Amino acid sequence: MTVGDRKTQRRGVLGPLSAAALVATLAAALWSAPVAAQEKVLRIAMTAADIPRTLGQPDQGFEGNRFTGIPMYDALTHWDLSRSDGPSVLIPGLATSWAVDAKDRTKWVFRLRSGVRFHDGSPFNADAVVWNVRKVLDKEAPHFDASQVGVTASRMPTLRSARKIDDLTVELTTSEPDSFLPLNLTNLFMASPAHWQAKFDAAPGATPADKARAAWTAFAADASGTGPFRMTRFVPRERLEVAANRNYWDPRRVPKIDRVVMLPMPEANARTAALLSGQVDWIEAPAPDAMAQIRSRGFTIYSNAQPHVWPWQLSFAEGSPWLNRDVRHAANLCVDREGLVKLLGGMMSIPKGTVPPGHPWWGNPKFDIRYDVKAAQALMQKAGFSAAKPLKVKVQISASGSGQMQPLPMNEFVQQSLKQCFFDVEFDVIEWNTLFTNWRIGARDPSARGAHAINVSFAAMDPFFAMVRFTSTKTFPPVSNNWGFFGNAEFDKLIEEARTSFEDKARDAALARLHARIVEEAPFIWIAHDVGPRAMSARVTGVVQPRSWFIDIATMDMK
């Protein structure tokens, strides 16, 4: 009996049935239905305008890691996403342990997990780790892919090479002692060398380089990692479908959901409408003015304080209006963050810096970020500005994107807030992934189009991501995300103290000194801390909203 036949029978077209007969018939139909009819399918609407890259190193910011990185791939180290009542900490991934060499702290030894296989069936081992490091660092490697370098090397700029010791042991070398390396390696996802080689062997091309590019394109459409989900269907700009990997190496993360469908949906109202109409089961960043309706319709909104900053990152290039620290302090004092909380339906927290007071890295800075219009006006007047002579600033922003919360209404609110303190703000609105690319190119590049600030949110869960990449002279573009070229010898020394401290308490103390000086010098306007709101159908169960930008789909289930 086909599904259509069963629908017809339920309408009574096959003749009158008693209640008992009807129940019996329905039960028989359900028992005889194909397994696929009972498949658990989770449909997600992302904020991205396109599917994040699927070849192992995602783009689209950390939304890419969340939806095409962590589900399909593994890294040597993972973030613990299993709890909501404490910070996410580093745990073993494909590496079971790691240690820095006591005599040469530029060398690390990683012990690898045995028995792990890629989705194509090939084994994960030390050769695979070396291959994946070379894909982004070794231009002479036949599989080197320049398109993956920007989103990888900028997140682990001291990593230089990998060397196989034995099948389950690998040595990684850094350019300088770097205690942050195990944290940074959460971003190096392991793709299958054997699967790529098969694509290369079948690829067209007149030269090995042509064939390698074609192989990566083919790999992206038919990816192979070691993650809890494997790719089954990929349509650029439309959808990505992944299915449960029942042979996943971690029994705690073997998926209960059969299939996940991810859909790019950058407009908040469209995402909200898709949820309310039943087109999807989960949306990122629901429209703030629809929160009450979403809850009233039985959906659940998840949120949690997380280390994720929504700022304006300021330019220190020649001629920038932000070179005067009084102006930077004035802008931080002039943002009505309480008003912004109301605009967002409560879905943000108010920052006092990159990390909150009480955090081990807080450091008790002397500058207090607060809402104080009179103090801000006095600083602006001291700098030579007034209502009659406002300071013109241009900010590059996006209309949507990973971690960008509600960028258009939020930026317009900040624009009006700053106006009372003699700032005349102009926006350059560009597509999210273009903005993210520009973020690595820097304020001095033509891509900035004369902008004096850039609005890219960032995760602050490890020292490099939270502070170092924005304040070191070694991370000026294109190395990493010091878009504004902020930094000097003092900051480089503070960073070196933290980076070369391999004991937790000493490293935290060094990072606290660094954070205090960052807040005091104010290379950002700290506007909001994200709480990661997402709305889901009540059918989705087992949801843990961690204190992290990431979330683990593998441990969820569906009714």
Side-chain angles (χ1 to χ4, degrees), residues 13-31:
V13 174
L14 298 183
L17 292 172
S18 68
L22 179 59
V23 169
T25 303
L26 286 172
L30 288 172
W31 279 109

Side-chain angles (χ1 to χ4, degrees), residues 149-172:
V149 173
V151 293
T152 310
S154 64
R155 295 172 175 175
M156 51 195 78
T158 65
L159 181 62
R160 289 295 176 267
S161 63
R163 180 177 69 86
K164 175 182 176 179
I165 296 175
D166 59 43
D167 277 352
L168 293 176
T169 314
V170 67
E171 178 187 79
L172 301 185

Side-chain angles (χ1 to χ4, degrees), residues 136-193:
V136 291
L137 293 183
D138 184 358
K139 294 181 180 179
E140 301 304 315
H143 61 289
F144 174 77
D145 184 12
S147 75
Q148 298 186 56
V149 173
V151 293
T152 310
S154 64
R155 295 172 175 175
M156 51 195 78
T158 65
L159 181 62
R160 289 295 176 267
S161 63
R163 180 177 69 86
K164 175 182 176 179
I165 296 175
D166 59 43
D167 277 352
L168 293 176
T169 314
V170 67
E171 178 187 79
L172 301 185
T173 301
T174 58
S175 58
E176 60 186 275
D178 186 0
S179 64
F180 308 154
L181 181 69
L183 296 157
N184 300 157
L185 288 173
T186 57
N187 298 287
L188 183 61
F189 294 107
M190 297 291 148
S192 168

Side-chain angles (χ1 to χ4, degrees), residues 21-92:
L22 179 59
V23 169
T25 303
L26 286 172
L30 288 172
W31 279 109
S32 65
V35 173
Q38 302 170 36
E39 188 181 35
K40 297 177 182 178
V41 180
L42 174 64
R43 301 158 301 167
I44 304 173
M46 304 179 292
T47 66
D50 196 1
I51 301 296
R53 299 189 81 194
T54 56
L55 38 60
Q57 299 308 130
D59 62 352
Q60 302 285 346
F62 269 173
E63 192 163 30
N65 284 32
R66 187 162 66 238
F67 289 126
T68 68
I70 293 170
M72 294 198 298
Y73 294 91
D74 290 304
L76 295 178
T77 55
H78 285 178
W79 293 108
D80 182 1
L81 304 176
S82 65
R83 54 182 295 194
S84 60
D85 59 350
S88 292
V89 296
L90 198 69
I91 58 173

Side-chain angles (χ1 to χ4, degrees), residues 266-281:
E267 210 281 311
N269 288 326
R271 288 194 301 276
T272 301
L275 180 73
L276 294 175
S277 66
Q279 292 178 342
V280 298
D281 309 292

